[in-house]
Amino acid sequence: MAHERTGAVTLGGNPVTLIGPELRVGDKAPDFALLTNDRRKAHLTDYKNKTCIITTVPSLDTGVCDLQTRFLNEEASKMGDDVAVLAISADLPFAQARWCKESNVEAITILSDHFDLSFGTAYGTYMKEQRLECRAVFVINQEGTIKYVEYVPEVTDHADYESALQVAKEVINKAGAAK
């Protein structure tokens, strides 16, 4: 049975149970199996040799999640090809595809964890009571090491995007200097 963390975050002020480990900076990023909007499998290994900014949201069809994903899409459009920005929710791939089209989101990759919550249980973002992802942000370097982690304490609040982006820029610059 997967590790349960009760009260690690709240949703609307109510404690929820997260399934999976609490990842930390320095941990090796676990692999995952998610679905693209056209229902193909996507894994962390698909983004090897890239810096990854991964964000999880409960649902793209909510206000904070919508703003978060649009903001990161805008930021991603300013980054180079060595960066992959992934937004993950438990929304169905069909709903994600509709949202992307309506929102003109094309610079980031939207992935569904609906099928078996592979990401949520590997990264500790699966909210047991709702069968949704909590709000979190991870930055993973090209070697697959986690360089930034934020599990947002109140799921309805925004993440600290600026801190995550600052760490991502540092990782990108370090990788560029190593080339």
Side-chain angles (χ1 to χ4, degrees), residues 17-158:
T17 305
L18 296 181
I19 303 294
E22 181 178 355
L23 298 179
R24 300 183 189 285
V25 171
D27 288 348
K28 183 77 174 160
D31 198 12
F32 50 75
L34 300 170
L35 293 175
T36 64
N37 291 172
D38 59 0
R39 297 176 315 284
R40 288 180 290 120
K41 289 279 186 176
H43 302 270
L44 180 60
T45 54
D46 296 339
Y47 305 97
K48 66 182 175 189
N49 301 320
K50 291 185 181 266
T51 298
C52 290
I53 301 170
I54 301 176
T55 179
T56 57
V57 299
S59 176
L60 294 169
D61 285 318
T62 63
V64 175
C65 301
D66 177 272
L67 289 171
Q68 174 177 327
T69 308
R70 288 174 190 258
F71 172 77
L72 290 172
N73 182 68
E74 185 176 315
E75 291 299 311
S77 69
K78 303 172 192 173
M79 298 179 186
D81 292 337
D82 293 337
V83 180
V85 180
L86 313 177
I88 299 168
S89 74
D91 293 317
L92 291 170
F94 311 105
Q96 290 179 335
R98 174 199 41 80
W99 182 89
C100 288
K101 183 176 180 183
E102 290 173 358
S103 304
N104 290 325
V105 168
E106 297 176 348
I108 63 175
T109 303
I110 308 289
L111 298 168
S112 176
D113 201 13
H114 173 76
F115 188 69
D116 63 4
L117 289 147
S118 165
F119 184 92
T121 55
Y123 284 71
T125 59
Y126 169 21
M127 293 189 294
K128 179 180 179 180
E129 293 84 356
Q130 284 75 28
R131 198 180 189 283
L132 298 171
E133 304 284 347
C134 72
R135 188 172 320 284
V137 181
F138 304 88
V139 175
I140 302 168
N141 71 7
Q142 293 181 342
E143 291 79 37
T145 302
I146 297 173
K147 294 299 188 177
Y148 180 88
V149 176
E150 179 186 8
Y151 295 94
V152 179
E154 168 53 52
V155 176
T156 60
D157 290 342
H158 283 279

Side-chain angles (χ1 to χ4, degrees), residues 9 30 162 169:
V9 300
E162 294 305 322
K169 289 173 186 171

